[in-house]
Amino acid sequence: MTDENEFEVRIRKVRSETSEIRSFEFEAVNGQPLPEFQAGAHISISPFPGVVRQYSLVNDPADRSRYLIGVKRELNGRGGSSAMHTQLHEGGTVRITAPRNNFALRPGEGGRRLLLAGGIGVTPLLSMAQVLAAQGEDFELHYFARTNSEIAFRDLILESEWSDRVAYHFGLVPPLLTEVLHEILREGGHSVYLCGPNPFMDIVRHCAEATGWPADAIILEHFSAEVPVLTPGEGEFVLRLAKSGIELVVPSDRTIIEVIREAGIEIKTSCEQGVCGTCITEVIEGEVEHHDLFLSPDEQEGGRLIMPCVSRCTSRLLVLNI
């Protein structure tokens, strides 16, 4: 990693949560409080040179003495999770970045929040649960796993004051999974925070739509332990659509809009010349090469917005909030 916010931490504790998941607890090497974060944030970790992975923080943001993450070993992955499991040991050090958040609790929401977790996707939701409980907010955490033995962070949940707000669902597959989700979602609420494997989240979104939830009430983060497997060529880059979990290669002679449309995803446009601002899109990750005449110089310099009809990406990965 070459991030300016990168720093070294000590591995204070490593624990087997399940047969596939290990938790890692980090502390500052100088004994000082770690950088602050909000529930839903993640850190980037480099277990060895040339490999960077992102993991959600599990612990309460009020506790800055440590960062706690969970890592599921992916046997068919590209080595990142295996390196975390085999090369990181208690007492050692590792380089990480300061927390970043693309999955924060919306401020001032009020009302009942539903936290729906699929497997290892529970990690950011556990941090959210701790914050909501401390604030006296109304919430429920529904934890979906294949078996009881695959529940990670069991002690954290059982020892909490909000353990009675957690419901467990084991081994559910459609159509039973759909029935259970419909029952949960029909009870209503203000918003749903969702994280887990893409197929699980697709089912939840379809169930939410069927039970009358508005699309903007579903806040989600796609859990992916590995970097894109797509390899762009000269002048190309990988485009990841965060909400749908789709990854595409944008060739040097095609626009982002064209590639998105070919994938069957609609995005509103008008001039398609970078002038009108109709297609303005939030950038989650990536270095934007701006070619529009709509964004102000400050907005372009900030790098958080893009006009996908004309602009491109100079990094190998561009993640958009689509």
Side-chain angles (χ1 to χ4, degrees):
M1 290 189 299
T2 58
D3 194 293
E4 62 180 5
N5 294 316
E6 178 188 346
F7 59 99
E8 194 171 57
V9 291
R10 181 177 293 108
I11 305 165
R12 185 160 74 181
K13 184 182 296 185
V14 179
R15 172 176 173 173
S16 293
E17 298 286 339
T18 73
S19 62
E20 297 178 336
I21 298 172
R22 283 188 180 178
S23 61
F24 296 82
E25 189 173 316
F26 305 120
E27 63 183 358
V29 293
N30 60 6
Q32 296 297 308
L34 291 162
E36 64 182 13
F37 69 97
Q38 295 180 328
H42 67 272
I43 56 175
S44 295
I45 302 177
S46 181
F48 58 86
V51 173
V52 179
R53 298 292 182 265
Q54 290 77 41
Y55 298 103
S56 297
L57 294 173
V58 176
N59 54 297
D60 187 339
D63 178 10
R64 292 173 58 194
S65 69
R66 63 174 184 159
Y67 287 159
L68 179 65
I69 64 169
V71 180
K72 180 180 180 181
R73 187 168 188 173
E74 302 290 346
L75 298 179
N76 296 320
R78 300 180 68 189
S81 63
S82 292
M84 292 288 293
H85 276 240
T86 60
Q87 299 189 27
L88 298 192
H89 305 286
E90 292 182 1
T93 59
V94 68
R95 300 196 67 79
I96 69 171
T97 62
R100 297 168 178 162
N101 203 335
N102 303 317
F103 188 45
L105 288 165
R106 292 176 179 175
E109 276 190 317
R112 176 169 169 267
R113 259 73 66 93
L114 293 177
L115 312 179
L116 302 186
I120 189 62
V122 75
T123 50
L125 301 182
L126 288 173
S127 186
M128 291 182 178
Q130 293 169 84
V131 169
L132 293 172
Q135 295 175 347
E137 301 285 349
D138 184 12
F139 75 94
E140 291 180 7
L141 170 59
H142 291 268
Y143 193 163
F144 293 80
R146 287 177 295 184
T147 65
N148 180 60
S149 64
E150 296 183 30
I151 294 294
F153 301 100
R154 187 186 306 270
D155 290 347
L156 184 155
I157 297 171
L158 294 179
E159 295 171 5
S160 72
E161 297 180 353
W162 42 269
S163 60
D164 59 344
R165 303 194 199 185
V166 182
Y168 303 94
H169 309 277
F170 301 120
L172 299 182
V173 295
L176 183 56
L177 173 59
T178 303
E179 293 176 6
V180 170
L181 287 171
H182 278 152
E183 182 178 347
I184 294 169
L185 294 164
R186 273 196 295 265
E187 294 179 3
H190 187 277
S191 54
V192 173
Y193 289 82
L194 171 63
C195 187
N198 289 343
F200 169 77
M201 295 208 296
D202 288 342
I203 293 174
V204 174
R205 285 190 295 171
H206 292 153
C207 290
E209 180 181 355
T211 50
W213 283 78
D216 61 1
I218 312 299
I219 304 98
L220 53 85
E221 179 172 67
H222 288 270
F223 181 84
S224 176
E226 302 297 334
V227 296
V229 296
L230 300 175
T231 303
E234 185 68 24
E236 300 178 340
F237 57 91
V238 173
L239 173 66
R240 179 186 299 163
L241 307 182
K243 290 183 178 178
S244 61
I246 294 175
E247 291 180 353
L248 308 162
V249 169
V250 180
S252 58
D253 61 346
R254 306 297 300 280
T255 68
I256 296 173
I257 288 290
E258 291 173 336
V259 172
I260 291 176
R261 281 178 176 161
E262 287 184 358
I265 297 174
E266 289 299 321
I267 182 170
K268 187 180 294 185
T269 63
S270 181
C271 73
E272 298 198 18
Q273 297 178 23
V275 177
C276 69
T278 302
C279 66
I280 190 168
T281 303
E282 180 186 2
V283 176
I284 296 176
E285 181 179 343
E287 299 295 326
V288 180
E289 182 181 85
H290 295 283
H291 296 292
D292 67 277
L293 300 175
F294 181 83
L295 296 174
S296 69
D298 286 345
E299 287 173 327
Q300 290 187 348
E301 182 67 21
R304 307 311 298 168
L305 298 171
I306 189 173
M307 309 297 293
C309 61
V310 293
S311 296
R312 297 187 62 78
C313 177
T314 58
S315 54
R316 294 175 67 84
L317 173 66
L318 177 66
V319 184
L320 299 183
N321 191 23
I322 297 176

